[in-house]
Amino acid sequence: MSLSVSWSLAYFPISANEPYDRNGNVYNITRVLTKQDRFDLDAYNAYSPLYLPATYAMTYLLAFALSTCVIVHTLLYHGRSLLNGIKKMKVESDDIHAKLMRNYPEVPEWWYLSAFAVFFGLAVVAVEVWSTNVPVWALLLSLLLPIIYILPSGFIYAMTGQGVRLPFQNIRENVVDLDMQITLNILAQIIPGTLLPGNPMANMVFKAYSVQTLAEATSFIQDLKLGHYIKVPPRATFLVQLVATTLAAFVQVGVKTWIFANVSDICDPLQKSQLTCPHNQVFFTASAVWGLIGPSRQFGPKSIYHPHLYAMVIGVFLPIPFWFWQRRYPDTWFKYISTPVILNGVSAIPPATGINYSSWFAVGFIFQYLIRKRNFAWWSKFNYVLSAALDSGMSLPHVLQ
């Protein structure tokens, strides 16, 4: 009841992709924009604060807690490994895979530096030629976040399958991939929203570079690990990833440009082929909350959602009792609890809904618990093959249609 009153949740849908105004209508962003697409404070004061539906409010609340929880969790559970890595200490002997892979030369550091120089130069050209109002220093700052978070996200992803990536939205069926990863969304929006206030375009660009850099870094590490076990030379893995990523950039831009030019009523809620763009709507809403209205008005003192900030403090202390308990009782089931994974569980809402989570839970319970427990030999041999088959079975009809 108190949340419903303080956040006015009773006046809005429980789950929606759009923000709302004080009258319960979808927020009209154009009413608080100048002709230069910048924030108009007088128009904002005359119109309405921006209100969030329940799912948005709770997702942001948990995301604030997650932003600090993931750092503390990593330091507590993996701090020793991090320290050894920084000291370049060899803490274990090479297994057979490592011994065999030493026959292949490693990727030279200048390959990585050259790739960074070329693509960062292209990024600078992009933000300068197209009027994004993103300074180069902000672009550099957007790349600093993934550098900080790659270690904690990598540890958690390796241990649990949950790392740092945006939830994938299937544009045809509105299906969200719940194999999601801990995202940088909050920090990647607070920072540009504070340093570049009233500029939604700059906020979206900053967020895209920050989140996607971390996603690609995690994906590349995953490919290197896979190549390590199937004995693919690291240089071959690097080149394949580089070529594929470059080609994908042109293919994706080309496909999206064609779709928006040739599909009628694209992104309309009543679009006949269900091309309603829910993830695009979520991205747009986030740009309005953080880039246009700004974090100081949306979450600052005396704002509607100011209590959200206290979740960052709570996130610092959440992993501590579980860590102490599993150290005191090493065989307890508490050792399987990962607070970042729990907080990350709802990060796909919105646009995900209950059906996404209920189906995910049902399939996971059957195959990851019942079958694994009762017929481990079958599970070991066929489970991942079945997973790939189900993914392919879902994708092929979309291509054929």
Side-chain angles (χ1 to χ4, degrees), residues 337-348:
I337 295 178
S338 174
T339 45
V341 172
I342 294 174
L343 294 177
N344 188 55
V346 298
S347 65

Side-chain angles (χ1 to χ4, degrees), residues 7-73:
W7 294 345
S8 304
L9 299 180
Y11 299 98
F12 315 119
I14 293 177
S15 181
N17 298 335
E18 305 87 4
Y20 291 85
D21 62 22
R22 68 174 85 232
N23 298 315
N25 301 316
V26 175
Y27 202 88
N28 187 351
I29 298 297
T30 59
R31 291 186 59 174
V32 295
L33 282 174
T34 65
K35 293 181 179 179
Q36 292 75 34
D37 291 333
R38 303 300 289 268
F39 181 68
D40 189 330
L41 179 58
D42 293 333
Y44 171 79
N45 291 331
Y47 176 37
S48 169
L50 187 145
Y51 291 88
L52 301 172
T55 50
Y56 255 119
M58 292 306 299
T59 299
Y60 278 144
L61 183 71
L62 296 179
F64 275 115
L66 177 62
S67 63
T68 52
C69 176
V70 65
I71 299 294
V72 175
H73 175 91

Side-chain angles (χ1 to χ4, degrees), residues 1 19 27 32 50 56 64 92 105 114 154 177 206 225 228 234 262 271 308 345 377 399:
M1 177 65 73
Y27 202 88
V32 295
L50 187 145
Y56 255 119
F64 275 115
E92 59 183 21
S114 299
D177 179 5
F206 188 102
K225 183 178 180 181
H228 180 85
N262 293 276
Q271 211 279 334
H308 278 59
V399 176

Side-chain angles (χ1 to χ4, degrees), residues 17 19 27 29 56 204 279-289:
N17 298 335
Y27 202 88
I29 298 297
Y56 255 119
M204 288 190 288
H279 191 60
N280 294 38
Q281 181 62 56
V282 171
F283 203 88
F284 167 77
T285 300
S287 73
V289 172

Side-chain angles (χ1 to χ4, degrees), residues 17 165-180 212 252 256 274-283 347-353 356 394 398:
N17 298 335
R165 184 181 299 164
L166 278 171
F168 173 73
Q169 177 67 40
N170 184 306
I171 194 170
R172 173 63 180 84
E173 293 288 343
N174 297 348
V175 176
V176 177
D177 179 5
L178 291 179
D179 184 22
M180 59 237 171
Q212 278 306 123
Q252 287 194 24
K256 290 180 179 179
Q274 300 181 27
L275 296 173
T276 57
C277 313
H279 191 60
N280 294 38
Q281 181 62 56
V282 171
F283 203 88
S347 65
I349 302 177
T353 57
N356 300 111
M394 183 186 70
H398 302 164

Side-chain angles (χ1 to χ4, degrees), residues 234-246:
R235 295 187 178 189
T237 304
F238 178 90
L239 292 174
V240 167
Q241 185 89 352
L242 180 66
V243 173
T245 302
T246 304

